[in-house]
């Protein structure tokens, strides 16, 4: 065992002494504690009085501002679909370039960089970046490639965010008047976008929640939650391919004939569904033809000319005042109400059957039938065909700005009115009215209200059908059959030969009408040329109306009838309608 080592002094050291702590008397310690607690409570109480009473309103405002946050929850606008549920208009997101000018140190330098990727003048961008506001738009709803390019620049104070926009897959010009447009903030401007704004629009949501000092929402801090209600989709009766064909054929016809514009309506006979609604006009400044931003087929009324003769003949047949085979003497000139009317296509007196009056478009033969009818009966019948009325249910407008046309009450007809209205002057109609009237003849005498909407689709994906189109009988089946046969003869051997389609029976009527002059009377060189008809004759599927405004060659049989044939033939193929046996 190793011996214990001693310090160098040779003597053992005593253990260290413990130091005593002086705590003072217990009563003194208790008194100090009481005094400290009282001071602390007094300070706390004073602070509570200041916060809760003296500065209550100030701190309440600060609490509201700093203790809660609000988020806007953006709804999605519903889509517009065609009858086969193809997209016509849909909401999408596009990049929007924004900036906080306070964080942009060199506005001109930053603008120069942005101008290399954005199609905006550098001075315009610089002006925006030099603003004294906290937030400015640099460029809204740019292309995805532009948004990505700006993002990659990583410029101080400049950001990119997605913004709701409206996309039209078929182009902005497609069915432009029918669909309408929205502005950059998704506000509807005309057409279906405006008409069905309440259905399409939806409702934005909102959330208000308590937040921590860090800005993060507290788990149980939600004070208000208003959920988003997305807009419903609207399903139109439009057939996309048929609309393309109608627009293309009409545009080509307007260009080829030098017309100022034109309209096409394609209707399904039994349902009244509008399958195509095309409109083109010529720009007065550039002379170029392009799509129209409204619906002239509903909004613009015109004097129909000879296409109206069909309704005079049908009324006389329905009233049993004539038969298709009755022979009439039709002189080259005829005096009615002290006015001498001249037959436009004949210089000799002729004998014509009732059918031939329509086949060869005789003004004087039509006048003589109108004399048998009288103003009251003819006016009543024309109104039953839908003229002088709006096309919506209960005489309401089917589209904003729809025109009633002009059909005066019979007791207001004077002088030659009975004669001229019978062959299409002194009355004004819209293209949609004309289509519905011819459709009634095709539909065995039953008038079907033109329909533009099939229904709507909600969040559950189920179609809610619109009400069926209203119908009313205006001709007996036998009269309708007689008119179908006569109108088929118009195409086989009369003025409508160029509307013929190989393999299918076509029925219809040409109309060449002088346009009223602003100075009174009628223009000597401005005409409206039209063709209205349906097919196949023995089992009608489609009714088509073509109207050209002021074509150079104004004879409807030459300019309007071929457009009808072009559109109708393509439509029959798309619907897979079999040729006549």
């Amino acid at each position: 065992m190793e011996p214990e080592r001693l310090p160098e002094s040779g003597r053992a050291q005593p253990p260290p002494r413990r130091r005593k702590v002086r705590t003072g008397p217990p009563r003194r310690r208790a008194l100090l504690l009481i005094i400290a607690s009282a001071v602390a409570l007094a300070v706390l109480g004073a602070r509570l009085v200041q916060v809760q009473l003296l500065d209550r309103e100030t701190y309440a405002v600060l609490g509201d501002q700093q203790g809660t946050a609000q988020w806007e929850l953006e709804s999605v606008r519903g889509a517009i679909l065609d009858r086969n549920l193809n997209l016509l208009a849909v909401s999408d997101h596009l990049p929007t370039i924004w900036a906080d000018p306070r964080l942009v140190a060199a506005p001109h330098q930053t603008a120069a960089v942005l101008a290399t990727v954005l199609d905006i003048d550098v001075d315009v961008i610089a002006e925006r970046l030099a603003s004294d506001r906290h937030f400015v738009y640099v460029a809204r709803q740019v292309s995805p490639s532009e948004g990505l390019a700006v993002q990659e620049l990583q410029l101080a104070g400049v950001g990119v965010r997605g913004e709701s926009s409206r996309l039209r897959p078929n182009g902005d010009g497609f069915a432009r008047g029918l669909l309408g447009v929205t502005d950059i903030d998704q506000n509807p401007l005309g057409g279906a976008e405006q008409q069905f704004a309440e259905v399409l629009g939806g409702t934005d949501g909102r959330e208000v929640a308590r937040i921590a000092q860090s800005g993060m929402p507290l788990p149980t801090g939600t004070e208000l939650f208003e959920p988003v209600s997305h807009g419903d989709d609207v399903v139109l009766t439009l057939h996309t391919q048929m609309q393309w064909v109608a627009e293309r054929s009409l545009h080509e016809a307007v260009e080829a004939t030098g017309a100022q514009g034109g309209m096409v309506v394609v209707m399904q006979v039994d349902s009244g569904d509008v399958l195509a609604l095309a409109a083109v006009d010529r720009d007065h400044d550039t002379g170029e033809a392009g799509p129209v931003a409204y619906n002239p087929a509903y909004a613009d009324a015109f004097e129909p000319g000879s296409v109206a003769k069909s309704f005079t003949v049908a009324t006389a047949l329905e009233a049993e005042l004539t038969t298709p085979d009755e022979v009439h003497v039709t002189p080259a000139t005829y005096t009615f109400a002290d006015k001498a009317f001249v037959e436009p296509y004949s210089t000799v007196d002729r004998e014509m059957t009732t059918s031939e009056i329509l086949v060869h478009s005789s003004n004087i033969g039509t006048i003589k039938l109108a004399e048998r009818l009288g103003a009251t009966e003819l006016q009543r019948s024309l109104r039953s065909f839908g003229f002088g009325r709006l096309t919506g249910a209960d005489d309401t407008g089917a589209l904003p700005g729809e025109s009633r046309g002009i059909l005066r009450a019979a007791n207001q007809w004077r002088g030659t009115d009975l004669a001229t209205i019978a062959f299409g002057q002194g009355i004004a109609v819209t293209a949609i009215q004309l289509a519905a009237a011819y459709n009634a003849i095709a539909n065995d005498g039953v008038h079907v209200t033109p329909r533009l909407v099939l229904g709507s689709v909600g969040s559950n994906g189920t179609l809610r059908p619109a009400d069926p189109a209203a119908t009313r009988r205006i001709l007996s089946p036998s009269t309708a059959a007689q008119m179908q046969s006569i109108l088929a003869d118009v195409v086989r051997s009369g003025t409508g030969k160029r509307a013929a389609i190989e393999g299918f029976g076509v029925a219809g009527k040409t109309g060449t009408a002088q346009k009223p002059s602003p100075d009174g009377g009628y223009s000597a060189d401005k005409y409206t040329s039209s063709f209205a008809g349906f097919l196949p004759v023995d089992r009608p599927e489609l009714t088509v109306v073509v109207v050209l405004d002021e074509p150079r060659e104004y004879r409807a049989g030459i300019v309007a009838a071929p457009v009808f044939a072009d559109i109708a033939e393509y439509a029959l193929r798309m619907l897979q309608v079999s040729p006549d046996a």
Side-chain angles (χ1 to χ4, degrees), residues 307-308 310-311 431 434-435 437-439 487 490-491 499 506-511 530-534 543-547 556 560-561 564:
V307 287
S310 298
F311 311 116
L434 193 60
Y438 268 85
N439 196 72
L487 290 170
V490 173
V491 176
V506 177
K509 181 71 182 74
T510 54
S530 58
F531 187 92
F534 49 87
T543 296
V544 181
V545 168
V546 176
V547 181
F564 169 96

Side-chain angles (χ1 to χ4, degrees), residues 312 334 336 341 362-372 418-420 422-423:
T312 303
Y334 186 73
F336 179 89
F341 288 88
S362 169
N363 283 359
I364 290 173
T366 306
I367 292 171
K368 295 184 74 172
L369 289 175
E371 285 183 293
R372 297 185 185 184
L418 175 62
T420 57
F423 61 72

Side-chain angles (χ1 to χ4, degrees), residues 21-101:
V21 179
R22 294 176 178 269
T23 59
R27 293 181 62 184
R28 184 181 177 187
R29 293 200 307 270
L31 181 61
L32 291 174
L33 180 62
I34 291 171
I35 293 172
S37 298
V39 172
L41 288 173
V43 172
L44 179 62
R47 182 61 175 164
L48 288 173
V49 169
Q50 179 187 11
V51 172
Q52 296 291 332
L53 297 177
L54 300 179
D55 296 333
R56 180 179 179 180
E57 293 184 2
T58 300
Y59 283 99
V61 171
L62 291 174
D64 288 340
Q65 292 177 345
Q66 299 179 1
T68 62
Q70 177 172 302
W71 295 270
E72 296 295 331
L73 309 175
E74 186 179 15
S75 66
V76 177
R77 187 174 180 83
I80 302 177
L81 311 172
D82 79 350
R83 65 186 301 104
N84 296 316
L85 305 185
N86 296 309
L87 288 171
L88 300 175
V90 63
S91 288
D92 193 13
H93 277 78
L94 288 176
T96 282
I97 316 302
W98 62 274
D100 184 344

Side-chain angles (χ1 to χ4, degrees), residues 282-552:
R282 191 176 295 279
D283 187 281
H284 292 295
D285 296 326
T286 65
E288 296 181 358
V292 183
Y294 69 107
N295 280 291
Y298 280 82
D300 291 353
F302 58 95
E303 292 200 358
S306 295
V307 287
K309 293 173 182 174
S310 298
F311 311 116
T312 303
V313 172
T315 304
L317 291 171
E318 182 73 6
E320 299 183 350
L321 296 176
T322 189
T323 65
D325 298 327
E326 181 187 0
V327 176
H328 308 265
V329 176
T330 55
T333 60
Y334 186 73
T335 300
F336 179 89
D338 298 328
K339 176 177 173 65
F341 288 88
V342 177
E343 194 72 273
Y345 304 114
S346 176
T347 58
V348 297
D349 297 349
R350 293 186 295 175
E351 289 186 348
M352 306 175 72
T353 65
T354 301
S355 296
E356 290 171 337
I357 287 173
L358 197 55
V359 169
H360 301 295
S361 201
S362 169
N363 283 359
I364 290 173
T366 306
I367 292 171
K368 295 184 74 172
L369 289 175
E371 285 183 293
R372 297 185 185 184
L373 288 166
T376 300
E377 180 60 20
L378 182 57
Q379 195 273 351
R380 181 208 60 77
S381 178
L382 291 173
R383 185 165 176 80
S384 74
F385 273 102
F387 301 119
R389 305 170 62 167
L390 300 176
T391 60
D394 301 321
D395 197 20
T396 58
L399 287 176
E402 181 178 354
S403 172
R404 294 177 181 274
I406 299 173
L407 176 61
R408 289 172 287 126
N411 59 13
Q412 297 177 356
W413 292 14
R414 299 288 185 271
T416 61
D417 284 345
L418 175 62
T420 57
I421 290 173
F423 61 72
Q425 282 187 345
I427 177 176
V429 306
T430 62
I432 195 68
Q433 288 174 339
L434 193 60
Y438 268 85
N439 196 72
I441 297 173
N443 200 36
D444 297 330
V446 176
H447 185 282
V448 185
T449 300
R451 189 170 70 153
L452 288 166
V453 180
L454 285 179
S456 61
V457 178
S459 57
N460 61 1
T462 302
L463 176 67
R464 293 190 295 271
D467 293 335
T471 62
R472 63 181 185 276
R473 178 166 290 282
I474 59 176
L475 294 175
S476 66
S478 60
T479 300
Q482 290 172 336
M483 287 300 302
Q484 291 168 8
S485 178
I486 296 171
L487 290 170
D489 286 340
V490 173
V491 176
R492 276 193 294 264
S493 59
T495 59
K497 293 176 184 178
R498 298 194 183 196
I501 300 173
E502 185 176 355
F504 295 92
V506 177
K509 181 71 182 74
T510 54
T512 304
Q514 289 176 285
K515 295 186 68 172
S517 172
D519 301 326
Y522 287 87
S523 171
D525 58 358
K526 294 181 180 180
Y527 290 80
T528 300
S529 302
S530 58
F531 187 92
F534 49 87
L535 72 168
V537 173
D538 60 345
R539 49 200 163 90
E541 294 276 351
L542 296 172
T543 296
V544 181
V545 168
V546 176
V547 181
L548 296 175
D549 181 31
E550 297 184 21
R552 286 190 298 264

Side-chain angles (χ1 to χ4, degrees), residues 63-410:
D64 288 340
Q65 292 177 345
Q66 299 179 1
T68 62
Q70 177 172 302
W71 295 270
E72 296 295 331
L73 309 175
E74 186 179 15
S75 66
V76 177
R77 187 174 180 83
I80 302 177
L81 311 172
D82 79 350
R83 65 186 301 104
N84 296 316
L85 305 185
N86 296 309
L87 288 171
L88 300 175
V90 63
S91 288
D92 193 13
H93 277 78
L94 288 176
T96 282
I97 316 302
W98 62 274
D100 184 344
R102 298 173 304 171
L103 305 178
V104 179
H108 285 281
Q109 182 179 348
T110 302
V113 175
L114 285 171
T116 63
V117 296
L118 297 176
D119 188 22
I120 306 177
D121 184 83
V122 63
D123 292 333
V124 173
I125 299 176
E127 183 179 356
R128 293 171 184 173
L129 296 180
S131 169
D132 59 359
R133 291 183 293 171
H134 296 174
F135 176 93
V136 295
Y137 285 116
V138 177
R140 297 185 66 183
Q141 300 183 18
V142 299
S143 69
S145 60
E146 289 174 314
L148 181 61
V150 172
Q151 209 163 23
E152 291 176 344
L153 292 173
Q154 296 185 349
L155 298 171
V158 178
V160 181
R161 71 178 188 183
E163 186 177 21
S164 185
S165 63
R166 202 64 167 163
L167 174 68
R168 287 172 173 73
N170 297 306
D172 291 340
F174 179 80
R176 183 179 175 187
L178 179 58
L179 297 180
V181 295
T182 58
D183 65 15
I184 200 166
D185 293 311
Q186 301 294 286
N187 298 310
L189 304 173
E193 295 280 16
Q194 181 177 15
Q195 186 177 7
F196 305 111
E198 189 173 334
V199 177
L200 293 166
T203 306
D204 290 344
R206 184 164 62 105
E207 182 178 1
V208 178
R210 289 282 175 184
I211 58 173
Q213 188 174 4
S214 63
M216 296 296 293
L218 297 173
T220 58
T222 299
E223 294 188 345
L224 175 67
F225 180 74
E226 297 175 351
V228 168
S229 175
H230 295 308
D232 290 348
D233 299 337
V234 172
V235 184
L236 301 182
T237 60
L238 207 70
H239 189 292
T240 294
Q241 289 79 9
M242 213 170 292
Q243 179 73 18
W244 271 114
V245 171
E247 290 185 356
R248 182 207 65 193
S249 297
L250 181 62
H251 185 273
E252 290 175 354
V254 169
E255 291 284 25
T257 64
Q260 293 304 304
M263 298 173 275
V264 169
V265 178
V266 181
M267 281 182 65
Q268 199 170 48
V269 170
D270 57 351
S271 67
D273 288 354
V274 177
L275 304 180
L277 195 67
V280 170
D281 68 358
R282 191 176 295 279
D283 187 281
H284 292 295
D285 296 326
T286 65
E288 296 181 358
V292 183
Y294 69 107
N295 280 291
Y298 280 82
D300 291 353
F302 58 95
E303 292 200 358
S306 295
V307 287
K309 293 173 182 174
S310 298
F311 311 116
T312 303
V313 172
T315 304
L317 291 171
E318 182 73 6
E320 299 183 350
L321 296 176
T322 189
T323 65
D325 298 327
E326 181 187 0
V327 176
H328 308 265
V329 176
T330 55
T333 60
Y334 186 73
T335 300
F336 179 89
D338 298 328
K339 176 177 173 65
F341 288 88
V342 177
E343 194 72 273
Y345 304 114
S346 176
T347 58
V348 297
D349 297 349
R350 293 186 295 175
E351 289 186 348
M352 306 175 72
T353 65
T354 301
S355 296
E356 290 171 337
I357 287 173
L358 197 55
V359 169
H360 301 295
S361 201
S362 169
N363 283 359
I364 290 173
T366 306
I367 292 171
K368 295 184 74 172
L369 289 175
E371 285 183 293
R372 297 185 185 184
L373 288 166
T376 300
E377 180 60 20
L378 182 57
Q379 195 273 351
R380 181 208 60 77
S381 178
L382 291 173
R383 185 165 176 80
S384 74
F385 273 102
F387 301 119
R389 305 170 62 167
L390 300 176
T391 60
D394 301 321
D395 197 20
T396 58
L399 287 176
E402 181 178 354
S403 172
R404 294 177 181 274
I406 299 173
L407 176 61
R408 289 172 287 126

